[in-house]
Amino acid sequence: MHGPVLTAWLLVALCALTGAYCLLRMRSAVEEQRRAAGGEALMGFGMAAMAVPAAVFTPPRWAWPVYAAVFGAAALRALWAARGGPHHLHHLVGSAAMVYMAVAMAAAPPAAHHAHGGTGVPLLTGALLLYFTGYVLLSGARLVPAAGPAAGSASVRWGDRPELARACRLSMGIGMVAMLLAM
């Protein structure tokens, strides 16, 4: 990732923690939530790995096609799962954005990995930025509580808390915006 080193490390931490929480969510009793959490964990850890500052670690040239293949497979899985609900379309866009960034990094000359900007197609980067910015704003608005919890309700396990799942998706959206801005 390009940009200030401190920002990159904060993004690494945010994405890695999000991925770790998504792994916790995979212990849910709800099968659909487990599947979504698995894809989100892959996205979180993949974003964390991509965000490591180039000054600290430059992945070998073969790593970018591997990233593209992994997230291409995730995109195909999300496309297949989109038959069951529109939430998977967001996973499809996120996975496609990861493929796009991996391909852009693979196509960039090695010197560009240490420079700022210029590694992607400006129109596609702009469209993805618009999508993820809108997603972040909408997700943030959804986190505002409408009402308090019902009195006497049973305690909910950490992996099954919907507001934390939304916060997880919000943080990955913010991370995606940061990564796209750094391209």
Side-chain angles (χ1 to χ4, degrees):
M1 182 173 146
H2 311 301
V5 175
L6 178 61
T7 304
W9 281 119
L10 289 172
L11 185 58
V12 169
L14 175 73
C15 294
L17 288 172
T18 299
Y21 176 70
C22 290
L23 285 179
L24 178 64
R25 285 182 39 228
M26 288 182 68
R27 296 175 46 202
S28 172
V30 181
E31 182 179 349
E32 179 60 28
Q33 186 167 322
R34 282 194 311 265
R35 276 195 216 128
E40 291 166 0
L42 174 68
M43 183 69 72
F45 289 127
M47 288 172 62
M50 277 184 140
V52 171
V56 174
F57 175 72
T58 302
R61 297 290 293 169
W62 58 264
W64 299 116
V66 170
Y67 272 104
V70 167
F71 285 102
L76 289 175
R77 183 178 179 281
L79 181 63
W80 181 257
R83 298 172 306 128
H87 171 70
H88 297 286
L89 291 175
H90 173 69
H91 287 169
L92 174 63
V93 173
S95 295
M98 292 293 283
V99 170
Y100 165 65
M101 287 188 285
V103 168
M105 292 305 289
H113 293 267
H114 296 287
H116 294 287
T119 56
V121 179
L123 184 61
L124 185 52
T125 303
L128 288 169
L129 270 169
L130 281 174
Y131 172 80
F132 282 105
T133 300
Y135 181 80
V136 164
L137 292 173
L138 185 61
S139 296
R142 287 183 180 161
L143 277 177
V144 176
S153 62
S155 66
V156 179
R157 293 175 21 178
W158 279 99
D160 291 329
R161 298 186 62 171
E163 70 277 9
L164 290 178
R166 285 191 292 269
C168 175
R169 292 180 191 115
L170 172 65
S171 64
M172 283 194 287
I174 292 169
M176 191 65 77
V177 169
M179 290 175 76
L180 288 166
L181 282 173
M183 282 191 71

